Amino acid sequence: MSSEQAEFWDERYRGEGFAFGTAPNAFLASQARYLKPGLHALVPGDGQGRNGVWLAQRGLVVDSVDISPLGVAASKELAKACGVEVNARVGDLLTWDWPVDRYDVVAALYLHFFDSDRPQMHHAMLDALKPGGVLILEAFSIEQLEYKKVHGSGGPKTADMLYSEPKLAADFANTAVLLMQETTVELNEGHRHKGPAAVIRAVVKKPRQASHESA
C-alpha cells in the first residue's frame, strides 16, 4: 500500500467529521433504476462511506475498498449508525487483487488516477462486473482546474489526474456506453466539495458476452 497516499487521506479525514458529507453523490442517486435490492455493488475509493452506506440502505449487498484506515473506520461507524452492513476494507486499488465477474454495479465517484494508471483501473472495474453489469462514474473534468482556482470546489491539482470524454471513451471502448457527458454542477458534498464545478459523468454496461481473443 502507498503509505504516502494513505497518510494523505488519513489527514483529510482526521478531526473533520465527514469531509464529503454523509449524503450520497447526487449523480449516483439519480441512477436509481440500476440499483435494485439484492444486487451486489462495489464502491472503490469510498472514503468515509457515504455512497456505500446509501447503497446498502437501498438493499444492495455492498463491498467497499479505500486506502485510508481512518476512512474505512468512519465508513463502518456510519453503516452501524444507519443500521446497515457494508463490507468495508482497507486496500490500495493499484495493487488490490480485483475480483472478476462478481458485481452487478461498480460505483466510482470522484476516484481519480494519474493518466498512467487510469486505463488499467477502469479496466479492472469493468472486469469486476458481471456480464451485463453497470459502472456508474462521476469525476472532475479537466476544466475543473479553472473552477478550483476560482471557486475552490475541490479536485486534483494537475491535468493528468482529471478526466475528459476522449479519455473515458478510450477506456470504455469495448462497452455499451449508456451515458457520457461533460457538464457543470453545483456541488454540495460536505466542505471539501462545495460550489460550481466541472465534471464528467458516465454509465457504461459490460457486454453480456465478453469478446476475448486468444493470443
Side-chain angles (χ1 to χ4, degrees), residues 85-171:
E85 291 186 10
V86 173
N87 178 26
R89 70 196 83 174
V90 177
D92 183 344
L93 294 170
L94 293 173
T95 58
W96 187 49
D97 185 14
W98 284 79
V100 175
D101 295 342
R102 182 177 298 177
Y103 297 101
D104 303 288
V105 177
V106 173
L109 290 317
Y110 294 98
L111 179 57
H112 290 265
F113 300 99
F114 287 108
D115 285 341
S116 56
D117 297 316
R118 188 200 68 254
Q120 172 195 348
M121 290 293 94
H122 285 163
H123 294 165
M125 292 177 199
L126 292 173
D127 286 345
L129 286 168
K130 299 175 184 177
V134 295
L135 168 62
I136 299 170
L137 179 151
E138 183 173 74
F140 289 113
S141 69
I142 290 173
E143 286 74 18
Q144 179 61 12
L145 285 176
E146 188 62 26
Y147 279 76
K148 180 183 179 76
K149 185 189 305 179
V150 175
H151 302 289
S153 49
K157 298 177 181 178
T158 60
D160 60 349
M161 288 191 76
L162 293 165
Y163 297 172
S164 67
E165 188 167 339
K167 288 182 182 183
L168 295 191
D171 292 351

Side-chain angles (χ1 to χ4, degrees), residues 7-198:
E7 289 169 8
F8 173 86
W9 286 107
D10 275 352
E11 187 60 32
R12 285 287 178 95
Y13 300 143
R14 185 177 287 113
E16 291 194 345
F18 285 83
F20 301 101
T22 57
N25 170 263
F27 178 62
L28 175 64
S30 76
Q31 303 305 304
R33 61 188 176 279
Y34 301 114
L35 309 173
K36 308 300 183 185
L39 295 182
H40 288 246
L42 172 65
V43 190
D46 196 30
Q48 294 170 298
R50 64 192 179 107
N51 294 308
V53 168
W54 181 79
L55 288 169
Q57 288 177 310
R58 294 189 63 85
L60 283 78
V61 180
V62 181
D63 292 338
S64 67
V65 183
D66 198 89
I67 200 168
S68 165
L70 289 184
V72 170
S75 178
K76 291 179 177 179
E77 287 299 317
L78 181 61
K80 183 178 180 181
C82 292
V84 296
E85 291 186 10
V86 173
N87 178 26
R89 70 196 83 174
V90 177
D92 183 344
L93 294 170
L94 293 173
T95 58
W96 187 49
D97 185 14
W98 284 79
V100 175
D101 295 342
R102 182 177 298 177
Y103 297 101
D104 303 288
V105 177
V106 173
L109 290 317
Y110 294 98
L111 179 57
H112 290 265
F113 300 99
F114 287 108
D115 285 341
S116 56
D117 297 316
R118 188 200 68 254
Q120 172 195 348
M121 290 293 94
H122 285 163
H123 294 165
M125 292 177 199
L126 292 173
D127 286 345
L129 286 168
K130 299 175 184 177
V134 295
L135 168 62
I136 299 170
L137 179 151
E138 183 173 74
F140 289 113
S141 69
I142 290 173
E143 286 74 18
Q144 179 61 12
L145 285 176
E146 188 62 26
Y147 279 76
K148 180 183 179 76
K149 185 189 305 179
V150 175
H151 302 289
S153 49
K157 298 177 181 178
T158 60
D160 60 349
M161 288 191 76
L162 293 165
Y163 297 172
S164 67
E165 188 167 339
K167 288 182 182 183
L168 295 191
D171 292 351
F172 303 137
N174 296 320
T175 68
V177 177
L178 307 179
L179 172 70
M180 183 83 70
Q181 177 190 41
E182 291 192 50
T183 187
T184 57
V185 297
E186 183 75 24
L187 288 178
N188 186 22
E189 301 183 333
H191 59 276
R192 289 283 181 181
H193 279 180
K194 202 168 191 68

